Amino acid sequence: MIAPNGFEAVIGVETHVELMTASKMFCGCPVDFGQPPNATTCPVCLGLPGALPVPNREAIERILMIGAALNCQITPTSYFHRKNYFYPDLPKNYQISQYDVPVCHDGEISVDVDGETALIGITRVHMEEDTGKTLHVGGGGRIHEADYSLIDFNRSGVPLVEIVTEPDIRTAEQARAYGAELQRIVRTLGVSDARLEEGSMRFDANISIRPRGAEDLGTRTEVKNVNSLRSLQRAIDFEIQRQIELVSGGGTVVQETRHWNEESGSTTSMRSKEESEDYRYFQEPDLMPIEVSPEWRDAIVAGLPELPAARRARYGSLGVDGGVAAVLVATEELGAWFEAAMDGGGDPRLIGNWLSGEVVAWSRTEGTDLASAPLTGDHLVELATMVADGTLSASAAKKVLAGVLVGEGSPAEVAAARDLVQISDSSVIEREVDAVLAAHPDAVAGIRGGETKLIGFLVGQVMRATGGKADPKLVSKMIAAKTAG
Amino acid sequence: MPVQIDIAKVASLARIALSAEELHRYGEQLGAILEHAERVQQLPTEGIPPTAHPVPMTNTFRPDVVTGSLPIADVLAAAPDTEDGYFRVPPVLGES
Amino acid sequence: MSDPADLTIRAAGDALRSGQLTSAELTEAVLERGRITEAHLHAFLTLDQEGAKEAAAAADAALAAGHDHGPLHGIPIALKDNICTKGVETTASSQILSGWVPPYNATVVDRLAAAGAVIVGKTNLDEFAMGSSTENSAYGPTRNPWDTDRVPGGSSGGSAAAVAVGSAMAALGSDTGGSIRQPAALCGVVGMKPTYGLVSRYGLIAFASSLDQIGPFARSVDDAATLLEAIAGHDICDATSIRRDVPPIRRSIDAGVHGLRIGLITELSGEAIDDEVMGAVNHTLAALADAGADVGEISVPSCEYGLSAYYLIAPAECSANLARFDGVRYGLRAAGDTTEEMMAATRAAGFGPEVTRRILLGTYALSAGYYDAFYGQAQRVRTLIRHQFAAAYEEYDVLVAPTSPTTAFPIGDKVDDPLAMYYTDVCTIPINLTGDPGISVPVGLDSRGLPIGFQVMAPALEEARLFQVAQAVEDLSQFQSRAALATSEVVAP
Ligand SMILES: [Mg+2]
Ligand SMILES: [Zn+2]
């Protein structure tokens, strides 16, 4: 949605991503969310007296991968800081984070919305640790009316990467596209499962509005508790609208943190920034600086897998339509089938269209999970080959594909069982063509008189007569020849 | 001159509940200590980097290896209040 | 044989291996010394008699079976109560940790166990190691074994007093601004702060992370070196632990001082120092010169700012380190209708005045608008001090100074004057800021019969040189570290 009334929205997104390393950020506890409360804790992640943090090298390796994938500068020497605030799920009552010198900074990625590309600047990517989880008991789960709270420190100390964008985003759709692309990048890197519902990827959005064309930034609000890409878009749209209505009505936006409420589809004030904490950042004396040599940085860059943008470009170079490529890269199963089919030498354009078209539509209408479909890359290659050698018509191929998707067998088996193999025997076709020409003398006369579009009508008649199995190209050619001059 | 400080704000940041009398006393004592500590401002330090660690090193990491967690009984043994394996606390006012 | 509790570690080790003595006998003698002296000293918060007897029996059995774990095998040692011991209450002398039993051992405790040592108990300290007299203990002060109306120094006053009277043959303390060296000086024993990072801090309840270092107390320089050798070395659990082999600590311990350049720090001597203390220091310097050392004096001007920098850096770090004591997971919990109120009430009830003062001071020094003028500037001054010490070590192999500006002062003398109390650390603080090693060796008594400490400092990781000079100081001063004398009133026949 474009902000109406001559206003423009200015949006920045902060993302927290939990890294799925084997062990936590600063201790040897496992990163494992399937355990009973407090079962994966130790002196370090419980903040026991005397315990000390030691950074997980793999977590540093992974944040460097993220930074490199977001085209960031890698800081040669960066530091850990303590961010001081009291909260019962923060065991030391300070979070080990980074402050003025993050490990990665000044990156950018591009996102496409409706064919328009926007460049989103990445301000910083920094390393920190996650907190425990607080469960508010009683009062309908609402924090302010709770009777008491319960704390589980299993999540405490899980490596957490914070990614902050420049205020380059202008619409909720762009923010969503950014979030989706970031999720794809993180998953492609294999550093996190990046699940929004489970909190391993979390978004906060900073939103302000200003008259279109204005240079200065308006007062911003920060929206928290966004648990899906869809709600990221909804929350931002709501907040833009709220601010426009407020300002249009003569009011002013208050700098504050607002809570997105999924059920009501609205944001509510949590606290204003005036009473915000003084975090008293200072360099973490228990930890030494992170030094990334040019060799280390180069090795990280060299080891990056093919990222979504590069993959889309590669599909494009194979002749796949841009929109189709985006769909293939966006959906893991589609992408995997496509890659497998390419390995088998299948036609990229045809197979891409089937996957983004028929397969997606089938999955939607049937409500079937793609992951459970018995489709393989070999099936797709086989199907494409049958079209290429004239065994199947394009429309029959789609029917065969539908059969394969519901488990009726390989394309050859489905085509045979459903009797969809194309008639390419010209003597058989000629018999049908002659019969149709004899039955429609007016049409034949019309064509001879120059109404060539009637050829299509006659082709249709032949196709109907053959139950769609005749090769339409051959039929068309034959009719044209027999009605010529 | 003793340094004037907003001792109530400092106590609130440090999350220590102090009486008015205690705040006053600590405020005066801190003022006197800071007057002495302020002497660090007499030294010219332009261009001098800060020292955070006395013996500089970098990249002191550990490998990504699971070395185990405490038995749950040990985790909760010293807790003032627990419920079903959780630490239990009075209701929380603010959000993190 | 004299009372085994008065032996040095080396002499006791010889007796253990020659079969003249068992660890059980030695440990019993040390525990008995504790039973006699504790009523007067209060050096211990926990005396683990059962645990010590078991460990001693195990040590004897191991030795009998031919498993000799080295020079600390079977030796009774005490630990400052801010060092975590699995299964043994650890309070850091704070009400907020009353009754807390750690589920894990500090690395130094595991290393002592591996070396066959017998842990006799946990010694008293200023709450969270914040203080210079051990009067800030929530469980009552420790007294000086040379004069029980006086303080033992601090914050490791319990460890110093225990070693002085023989209720431990040696002990570990922690030194953040002089907390090992100053009580060692005031109690007439050897106390040593290693190079920052040489000994793991894992399991040491943190006061100021960039300054804290665990180190040994002993009745001889040689014993202190023995204890340091057992606990030093890289630890994967401490990211500030130095990653290299331990330098050979006693490589040159008996090499004497001939040709060594020894520099007295001008700013830590002279008028600000008690005359008798300065007299003993000068006397020692003269003896060192006679022994062939090249003795001189050097100015390290930024030393004068050390105390100011320290009283910004240490409280700042402590304000964060002590934030974890909040009544949620362990320790004291005071009542409160909300978690916020509960935390604030717990911390008010659980921390004593000095700890509260330092938390507030550090919170202020880090807070918005003041960081740069206070904490940031203190860190830059710290850099200056490091640079000037490094320059001084270009001219001298070791630097020396009194350990404490005075001998032991009366209990209660400075409790209401924080600045006067802070000043007692003026000579020890500089090398906490630089991270260099230092040692206090007793060199004499003042006219009241109170011990005087002589401090030797060396560049980072030059522990061998430090012990070499300290050994020479001990040999030259002929100081008799006589626990029996020190406790003659209490160890009545
Ligand atoms: Mg964050
Ligand atoms: Zn852990």
Side-chain angles (χ1 to χ4, degrees):
Chain A
M1 190 197 311
I2 299 293
N5 309 339
F7 282 103
E8 152 182 271
V10 177
I11 303 158
V13 174
E14 284 178 27
T15 311
H16 285 89
V17 178
E18 284 179 341
L19 299 182
M20 300 297 137
T21 43
S23 64
K24 291 187 181 180
M25 183 65 221
F26 296 115
C27 63
C29 287
V31 174
D32 178 357
F33 297 124
Q35 299 300 318
N38 295 303
T40 57
T41 61
C42 74
V44 176
C45 58
L46 284 171
L48 294 194
L52 294 174
V54 183
N56 183 340
R57 192 184 194 284
E58 177 63 22
I60 304 296
E61 188 89 6
R62 290 186 180 197
I63 193 174
L64 291 174
M65 289 166 71
I66 293 174
L70 299 177
N71 305 298
C72 286
Q73 305 290 311
I74 305 295
T75 312
T77 305
S78 67
Y79 306 91
F80 286 108
H81 276 67
R82 292 184 182 178
K83 179 182 183 180
N84 297 284
Y85 66 95
F86 283 86
Y87 203 76
D89 62 19
L90 184 64
K92 302 182 295 295
N93 286 312
Y94 59 81
Q95 180 191 32
I96 301 177
S97 182
Q98 294 194 286
Y99 180 50
D100 49 353
V101 189
V103 69
C104 313
H105 62 95
D106 288 315
E108 62 180 25
I109 60 169
S110 60
V111 298
D112 288 325
V113 175
D114 299 334
E116 281 197 41
T117 300
L119 212 53
I120 313 292
I122 304 293
T123 313
R124 56 185 287 146
V125 179
H126 78 242
M127 190 79 242
E128 56 187 31
E129 57 177 338
D130 212 342
T131 64
K133 274 185 176 166
T134 308
L135 225 80
H136 303 289
V137 180
R142 256 195 298 270
I143 180 164
H144 298 293
E145 292 124 51
D147 299 324
Y148 59 92
S149 297
L150 298 176
I151 311 190
D152 171 11
F153 289 102
N154 283 348
R155 201 181 66 178
S156 165
V158 167
L160 198 60
V161 169
E162 182 174 323
I163 302 155
V164 182
T165 73
E166 290 289 295
D168 288 344
I169 300 169
R170 292 290 170 270
T171 66
E173 291 92 330
Q174 269 180 8
R176 179 179 184 161
Y178 163 77
E181 181 73 354
L182 189 58
Q183 186 182 45
R184 279 191 288 275
I185 290 173
V186 165
R187 287 180 174 171
T188 302
L189 295 173
V191 298
S192 172
D193 58 8
R195 290 177 190 269
L196 278 92
E197 329 76 58
E198 285 166 25
S200 58
M201 186 174 205
R202 313 196 275 271
F203 295 112
D204 302 324
N206 288 299
I207 301 151
S208 64
I209 55 162
R210 64 183 173 192
R212 197 171 298 281
E215 287 280 319
D216 294 341
L217 293 172
T219 304
R220 68 161 198 253
T221 59
E222 183 177 13
V223 177
K224 288 185 175 287
N225 192 42
V226 178
N227 297 322
S228 69
L229 287 168
R230 184 169 165 271
S231 50
L232 176 66
Q233 182 173 347
R234 286 178 71 206
I236 291 172
D237 265 335
F238 175 88
E239 188 57 21
I240 292 171
Q241 206 49 48
R242 187 189 71 85
Q243 291 188 13
I244 289 172
E245 280 168 22
L246 191 62
V247 171
S248 302
T252 50
V253 176
V254 181
Q255 188 174 340
E256 62 184 354
T257 302
R258 298 181 68 85
H259 189 93
W260 168 249
N261 191 313
E262 190 70 48
E263 291 77 49
S264 67
S266 62
T267 65
T268 47
S269 179
M270 277 165 69
R271 58 168 179 249
S272 75
K273 278 283 173 184
E274 280 82 11
E275 57 198 62
S276 78
E277 289 268 12
D278 175 353
Y279 290 122
R280 290 159 286 135
Y281 279 100
F282 72 105
Q283 198 180 322
E284 166 59 286
D286 286 331
L287 296 173
M288 295 299 182
I290 303 164
E291 194 175 4
V292 183
S293 65
E295 293 75 33
W296 191 6
R297 184 200 58 206
D298 292 348
I300 293 283
V301 172
L304 288 181
E306 183 185 43
L307 295 168
R311 202 164 143 209
R312 284 190 295 266
R314 176 164 61 87
Y315 291 179
S317 73
L318 295 174
V320 175
D321 180 70
V324 171
V327 173
L328 296 179
V329 171
T331 310
E332 196 186 323
E333 292 85 358
L334 298 179
W337 282 321
F338 185 76
E339 291 291 337
M342 291 310 99
D343 289 346
D347 177 337
R349 207 181 149 80
L350 187 58
I351 291 173
N353 289 344
W354 282 335
L355 288 170
S356 66
E358 278 65 31
V359 175
V360 169
W362 165 78
S363 157
R364 284 218 187 105
T365 50
E366 300 298 315
T368 309
D369 197 1
L370 284 176
S372 66
L375 184 67
T376 68
D378 287 344
H379 290 155
L380 293 163
V381 175
E382 187 184 338
L383 196 58
T385 308
M386 290 170 83
V387 172
D389 68 13
T391 311
L392 285 179
S393 69
S395 62
K398 290 176 182 175
K399 289 178 189 153
V400 171
L401 182 55
V404 173
L405 283 169
V406 297
E408 289 175 12
S410 72
E413 289 163 353
V414 176
R418 292 196 179 189
D419 192 20
L420 289 167
V421 175
Q422 186 162 266
I423 303 162
S424 303
D425 183 335
S426 54
S427 62
V428 177
I429 291 175
E430 189 167 12
R431 214 158 44 226
E432 297 296 334
V433 167
D434 288 343
V436 166
L437 292 182
H440 296 88
D442 296 354
V444 173
I447 295 166
R448 291 207 168 112
E451 282 184 77
T452 50
K453 68 176 191 305
L454 286 170
I455 293 175
F457 165 73
L458 292 178
V459 171
Q461 295 307 308
V462 177
M463 294 308 287
R464 183 194 282 176
T466 57
K469 292 191 285 179
D471 179 346
K473 275 188 225 133
L474 197 58
V475 173
S476 174
K477 214 189 278 172
M478 212 175 270
I479 292 172
K482 286 181 185 277
T483 55
Chain B
M1 273 236 308
V3 176
Q4 294 297 316
I5 65 177
D6 184 349
I7 189 70
K9 187 181 161 209
V10 173
S12 150
L13 276 175
R15 196 142 297 182
I16 304 178
L18 296 174
S19 68
E21 185 272 324
E22 288 169 320
L23 285 174
H24 178 75
R25 180 154 41 85
Y26 283 119
E28 293 209 321
Q29 288 172 343
L30 259 60
I33 296 165
L34 285 165
E35 184 183 5
H36 187 273
E38 252 182 346
R39 284 163 34 92
V40 295
Q41 291 158 14
Q42 295 166 5
L43 274 181
T45 54
E46 220 183 271
I48 304 283
T51 289
H53 295 109
V55 180
M57 294 185 285
T58 58
N59 296 355
T60 54
F61 302 135
R62 42 173 277 274
D64 184 23
V65 173
V66 174
T67 52
S69 302
L70 285 173
I72 189 78
D74 283 355
V75 171
L76 301 173
D81 195 6
T82 64
E83 183 177 308
D84 296 338
Y86 292 90
F87 293 91
R88 184 178 150 141
V89 294
V92 186
L93 272 187
E95 303 196 28
S96 62
Chain C
M1 193 169 70
S2 61
D3 189 328
D6 292 324
L7 295 173
T8 61
I9 291 174
R10 170 165 292 190
D14 290 345
L16 285 172
R17 280 167 191 79
S18 68
Q20 289 170 273
L21 186 67
T22 63
S23 176
E25 290 163 354
L26 176 62
T27 301
E28 179 49 31
V30 167
L31 291 172
E32 173 63 10
R33 183 64 61 83
R35 286 190 285 268
I36 296 166
T37 54
E38 271 307 276
H40 306 271
L41 285 183
H42 190 228
F44 284 87
L45 295 178
T46 303
L47 261 172
D48 185 14
Q49 309 216 25
E50 288 315 305
K53 284 174 186 168
E54 276 173 37
D60 285 331
L63 208 53
H67 304 300
D68 187 340
H69 296 302
L72 294 182
H73 193 119
I75 303 295
I77 288 172
L79 303 173
K80 190 177 183 178
D81 199 37
N82 59 353
I83 296 171
C84 288
T85 42
K86 185 174 181 174
V88 177
E89 184 177 356
T90 301
T91 67
S93 286
S94 182
Q95 206 59 57
I96 212 159
L97 271 182
S98 176
W100 184 59
V101 178
Y104 78 108
N105 270 336
T107 297
V108 291
V109 176
D110 282 338
R111 292 200 175 171
L112 286 180
V118 172
I119 306 301
V120 291
K122 308 296 293 290
T123 58
N124 199 9
L125 63 148
D126 286 298
E127 183 178 0
F128 286 108
M130 297 178 200
S132 310
S133 67
T134 317
E135 291 167 288
N136 297 334
S137 168
Y139 306 103
T142 296
R143 292 169 181 272
N144 190 307
W146 299 77
D147 177 348
T148 52
D149 290 333
R150 290 175 185 268
V151 303
S155 65
S156 314
S159 286
V163 172
V165 302
S167 52
M169 301 197 74
L172 293 185
S174 65
D175 191 317
T176 306
S179 281
I180 292 173
R181 290 161 289 154
Q182 185 256 19
L186 269 50
C187 289
V189 298
V190 175
M192 189 264 171
K193 180 195 92 77
T195 300
Y196 182 86
L198 185 63
V199 177
S200 170
R201 292 184 296 114
Y202 189 74
L204 170 67
I205 299 177
F207 160 16
S209 311
S210 77
L211 301 161
D212 295 343
Q213 194 58 194
I214 293 174
F217 285 94
R219 286 195 296 267
S220 75
V221 169
D222 187 70
D223 282 359
T226 298
L227 194 45
L228 178 60
E229 280 181 328
I231 60 172
H234 179 250
D235 177 17
I236 185 74
C237 294
D238 176 356
T240 64
S241 164
I242 294 172
R243 302 190 162 204
R244 51 180 268 187
D245 293 339
V246 180
I249 287 162
R250 48 190 343 133
R251 180 184 56 207
S252 53
I253 196 161
D254 291 320
V257 291
H258 190 86
L260 276 184
R261 300 166 302 166
I262 298 176
L264 176 68
I265 297 177
T266 307
E267 286 74 13
L268 304 182
S269 55
E271 278 178 18
I273 309 300
D274 173 86
D275 284 349
E276 291 192 71
V277 171
M278 209 54 233
V281 168
N282 285 328
H283 185 77
T284 304
L285 282 170
L288 287 165
D290 285 347
D294 181 0
V295 174
E297 189 173 325
I298 183 160
S299 172
V300 184
S302 58
C303 261
E304 301 213 41
Y305 297 88
L307 200 60
S308 299
Y310 176 87
Y311 276 98
L312 292 168
I313 292 168
E317 292 183 9
C318 103
S319 72
N321 283 332
L322 273 61
R324 68 189 62 195
F325 301 101
D326 60 5
V328 174
R329 286 144 297 135
Y330 45 78
L332 185 76
R333 173 184 292 189
D337 289 341
T338 64
T339 284
E340 285 81 353
E341 285 174 18
M342 179 279 285
M343 285 182 176
T346 296
R347 292 165 62 75
F351 293 138
E354 181 61 25
V355 171
T356 304
R357 198 149 43 227
R358 295 202 198 186
I359 290 173
L360 294 174
L361 185 56
T363 302
Y364 174 81
L366 290 174
S367 62
Y370 305 103
Y371 176 96
D372 231 42
F374 288 105
Y375 186 70
Q377 180 65 6
Q379 283 195 316
R380 287 185 285 273
V381 169
R382 188 173 185 183
T383 306
L384 280 179
I385 294 173
R386 283 175 61 213
H387 289 171
Q388 290 185 3
F389 265 83
Y393 285 124
E394 297 283 307
E395 292 179 47
Y396 290 95
D397 297 306
V398 296
L399 299 174
V400 298
T403 307
S404 167
T406 66
T407 53
F409 46 91
I411 287 174
D413 220 23
K414 302 181 198 283
V415 280
D416 294 323
D417 187 351
L419 274 171
M421 187 70 89
Y422 297 171
Y423 188 74
T424 64
D425 290 334
V426 69
C427 297
T428 46
I429 275 173
I431 62 164
N432 291 97
L433 294 169
T434 64
D436 299 333
I439 190 167
S440 179
V441 182
V443 290
L445 300 177
D446 72 0
S447 52
R448 294 192 198 90
L450 297 170
I452 295 167
F454 181 88
Q455 184 181 200
V456 185
M457 297 161 268
L461 294 172
E462 294 291 348
E463 265 78 4
R465 193 192 299 168
L466 184 79
F467 276 104
Q468 179 183 341
V469 175
Q471 184 63 58
V473 170
E474 184 177 82
D475 293 342
L476 292 167
S477 69
Q478 294 288 309
F479 182 83
Q480 300 295 312
S481 177
R482 289 151 299 186
L485 172 75
T487 59
S488 58
E489 313 153 35
V490 292
V491 189

